[in-house]
Amino acid sequence: MSISETVEQLLLANDFKPARAATKKKSSWLMPKSGEVFYVNRASRDGVSMFIFHPDKSKQAAEAVQKAGLKFGPDYFHSSNMTLFPKRQNKGVNLIPYGWPVDAKGLDQIKNLVFELK
């Protein structure tokens, strides 16, 4: 089982709901209390950029990441699969959705973040 499959099973077991049908590379999820959307990066093989949060970083997401002992990446993560997020110019000609990545490289880190996002 891949790390992203483990994350998705944990989310389902903790009352998170998919926001839309998943793509091959991303799945979108709703936080149980706030209904805010975040993404799981299904293309991550080692937990790098496993979670991607809205570029406006809500208070709930920021607090959850901090309490879980994790940090937002220093740069935005861009992907055309994140259709629920706003777009901006990156390196290409077209605008592309973007958000803040969070690395979660072990099961304990993943569980901590899922618990804090509930």
Side-chain angles (χ1 to χ4, degrees), residues 2-15:
S2 73
I3 190 169
S4 64
E5 289 171 326
T6 301
V7 170
E8 291 171 344
Q9 286 183 353
L10 255 168
L11 292 170
L12 285 171
N14 283 279
D15 299 323

Side-chain angles (χ1 to χ4, degrees), residues 42-84:
R42 295 174 129 192
S44 177
R45 298 288 175 238
D46 57 2
V48 174
S49 302
M50 178 55 62
F51 295 88
I52 301 124
F53 293 92
H54 195 280
D56 293 340
K57 283 195 240 180
S58 73
K59 182 179 178 183
Q60 181 186 0
E63 286 177 355
V65 169
Q66 182 182 16
K67 286 180 181 178
L70 301 171
K71 295 180 182 177
F72 289 102
D75 297 315
Y76 288 125
F77 182 93
H78 296 83
S79 174
S80 61
N81 291 294
M82 301 187 309
T83 57
L84 297 171

Side-chain angles (χ1 to χ4, degrees), residues 4 8 26 31 41 45 84-85 87 96 107 116:
S4 64
E8 291 171 344
K26 304 286 179 294
M31 292 183 208
N41 183 4
R45 298 288 175 238
L84 297 171
F85 281 4
K87 296 179 180 183
I96 187 165
L107 189 55
E116 293 297 338

